Amino acid sequence: MSVELDVFVGNTTIMDKEVYQLWLNGYTVNDAVKVRIDGGIMEECELLFQIPPDRQAMLIERYYAFDDAFAREVLGKKLSKGTKKDLDDVSAKTNITLKSCRRQFDNFKRVFKEVEELKGPLVENIRQRFLLPDQLARDYAAVVFFANNRFETGKKKLQYLTFQDFALCAGQLINNWTVGAVDNMMEDMDVDLDKEFLQDLKELKILITDKDLLDQHKSLVCTALRGKTNVFTEMEASFKNLSRGLVNIAAKLINAKDVRDFFIDLVEKFIEPCRSDKWTSIDVNLYLTHYTNSAHILDTFKHHGVWTRYMGVIKTCILRMYHE
């Protein structure tokens, strides 16, 4: 004996009692919509479909989410039609579908154009304008900041660095080297580097051009390091070259080209020499700590605020970028 059954399988159905009553009362779809709108439902719910807040947040977050591998490929590039034409290659390289690459690129461009001229903190502007969670807003801030300053990220020496490596450095630069780091009422506060600060960095050259200061600095650092590391001999021998490298990076940042080469310079002037001498991350941290602190002890060195603001970022970025 055969039995026929009608079976309905699905998730819990949410029924709107008012809409159901309108249907029972014989309203057409158009008339029911008019009744709902006239009753103020749009002002009450803001969205045409009454999606619960947690679902709204999920839909927005997933739409604006992006793959770190994709972001790494376009980071620092101009968000223009020319870059968009290269998305076929990015898709093939990252194994991310072309459609997804286009969505992510368009999101980057949309966020960039919306916030680049706004006053106020960059992360907060992105979070409020696009209703994004904090970490995603910070990642977008890194994309915007890199696109605006056109940092070079594609060179072979930088390929080992991930998007999150660069994003952490971007956060440091935004929080410490932009105009907004010292005055939160300025225009473009978190997008552009503070030109006055970059100009002041040239004053740090006294640490390497004044022979007495250079020797005193070396003596203080080496005294603090002696007996605390297995590569002390290498640290002592390379002190002057490393110091010249770090100070020269600072002095040149007033030039747009040198800003673009910032990460390459960190690798070439500091990270690669330390790697070749077999420094560990602990060694690098120890050296940079004493290198920074010892400058404040120098009697004739007067640029303590600028030095602290500069070296705080340099230390954090180098430690993130340093892979043994």
Side-chain angles (χ1 to χ4, degrees):
M1 177 177 133
S2 64
V3 178
E4 292 186 5
L5 296 174
D6 290 326
V7 179
F8 177 83
V9 179
N11 292 328
T12 302
T13 303
I14 300 174
M15 298 294 294
D16 188 304
K17 291 184 291 185
E18 293 185 26
V19 172
Y20 183 51
Q21 189 61 51
L22 289 170
W23 178 74
L24 292 174
N25 291 343
Y27 282 81
T28 65
V29 171
N30 288 337
D31 289 340
V33 169
K34 186 176 187 306
V35 169
R36 295 285 279 166
I37 292 175
D38 291 344
I41 191 64
M42 295 296 287
E43 289 75 15
E44 178 184 338
C45 298
E46 296 184 359
L47 294 174
L48 180 59
F49 298 103
Q50 287 82 66
I51 306 173
D54 61 322
R55 293 295 178 89
Q56 293 180 32
M58 180 274 291
L59 291 172
I60 294 170
E61 181 178 356
R62 290 197 181 186
Y63 184 80
Y64 277 95
F66 59 82
D67 296 288
D68 283 3
F70 173 79
R72 179 66 182 85
E73 291 300 314
V74 301
L75 193 65
K77 295 181 179 178
K78 193 172 183 180
L79 299 175
S80 63
K81 291 181 179 178
T83 303
K84 192 170 184 178
K85 288 179 181 178
D86 297 333
L87 293 184
D88 285 11
D89 295 334
V90 174
S91 174
K93 184 175 180 180
T94 60
N95 202 29
I96 299 169
T97 65
L98 181 58
K99 189 173 183 179
S100 180
C101 287
R102 286 174 176 164
R103 172 184 60 81
Q104 295 179 54
F105 181 83
D106 288 342
N107 286 343
F108 286 172
K109 187 174 181 179
R110 184 181 304 112
V111 173
F112 179 87
K113 294 186 78 170
E114 176 71 18
V115 303
E116 66 172 330
E117 300 296 338
L118 292 180
K119 282 186 178 181
L122 179 58
V123 174
E124 187 62 17
N125 284 339
I126 293 172
R127 192 183 67 79
Q128 290 188 1
R129 293 279 175 148
F130 293 93
L131 305 178
L132 302 182
D134 185 67
Q135 186 54 56
L136 186 55
R138 291 182 185 280
D139 286 345
Y140 267 97
V143 172
V144 170
F145 187 71
F146 268 71
N148 183 70
N149 292 283
R150 303 294 303 279
F151 290 105
E152 174 60 60
T153 65
K155 292 293 177 65
K156 186 176 181 180
K157 289 185 177 183
L158 300 177
Q159 288 306 304
Y160 75 98
L161 295 169
T162 67
F163 168 74
Q164 289 300 329
D165 291 333
F166 283 118
L168 180 137
C169 295
Q172 287 292 308
L173 293 164
I174 289 169
N175 291 333
N176 295 282
W177 288 7
T178 60
V179 177
V182 292
D183 186 349
N184 60 13
M185 293 305 294
M186 295 295 291
E187 297 276 1
D188 303 335
M189 54 171 290
D190 280 351
V191 179
D192 296 324
L193 294 173
D194 181 354
K195 288 183 172 57
E196 185 176 339
F197 167 67
L198 299 183
Q199 189 67 44
D200 290 342
L201 287 176
K202 295 172 73 173
E203 302 297 331
L204 300 181
K205 287 204 75 172
I206 193 172
L207 284 172
I208 57 173
T209 57
D210 186 315
K211 187 178 182 304
D212 289 338
L213 269 184
L214 181 60
D215 290 339
Q216 290 175 45
H217 195 189
K218 177 181 178 180
S219 177
L220 287 169
V221 174
C222 290
T223 298
L225 291 172
R226 186 172 282 107
K228 295 180 181 177
T229 172
N230 293 328
V231 290
F232 173 78
T233 301
E234 290 81 359
M235 287 182 174
E236 186 176 37
S238 59
F239 177 88
K240 291 185 178 181
N241 282 337
L242 292 178
S243 188
R244 289 190 185 101
L246 293 178
V247 173
N248 281 328
I249 289 173
K252 294 191 302 178
L253 285 175
I254 196 65
N255 304 313
K257 180 184 182 302
D258 292 298
V259 169
R260 289 196 291 270
D261 289 341
F262 175 68
F263 293 99
I264 295 175
D265 288 340
L266 285 183
V267 170
E268 291 182 346
K269 306 295 185 185
F270 191 91
I271 291 174
E272 287 183 342
C274 294
R275 275 200 202 126
S276 66
D277 283 340
K278 310 298 183 186
W279 293 25
T280 66
S281 297
I282 294 173
D283 293 327
V284 172
N285 186 25
L286 186 67
Y287 178 88
L288 289 174
T289 298
H290 289 296
Y291 177 76
T292 302
N293 295 342
S294 294
H296 293 295
I297 306 174
L298 298 170
D299 291 336
T300 57
F301 182 66
K302 307 298 183 184
H303 311 288
H304 302 296
V306 175
W307 177 249
T308 298
R309 191 176 171 188
Y310 174 68
M311 282 305 302
V313 171
I314 291 296
K315 178 182 176 182
T316 302
C317 289
I318 286 177
L319 288 174
R320 179 65 188 230
M321 296 166 64
Y322 195 82
H323 296 188
E324 299 169 31

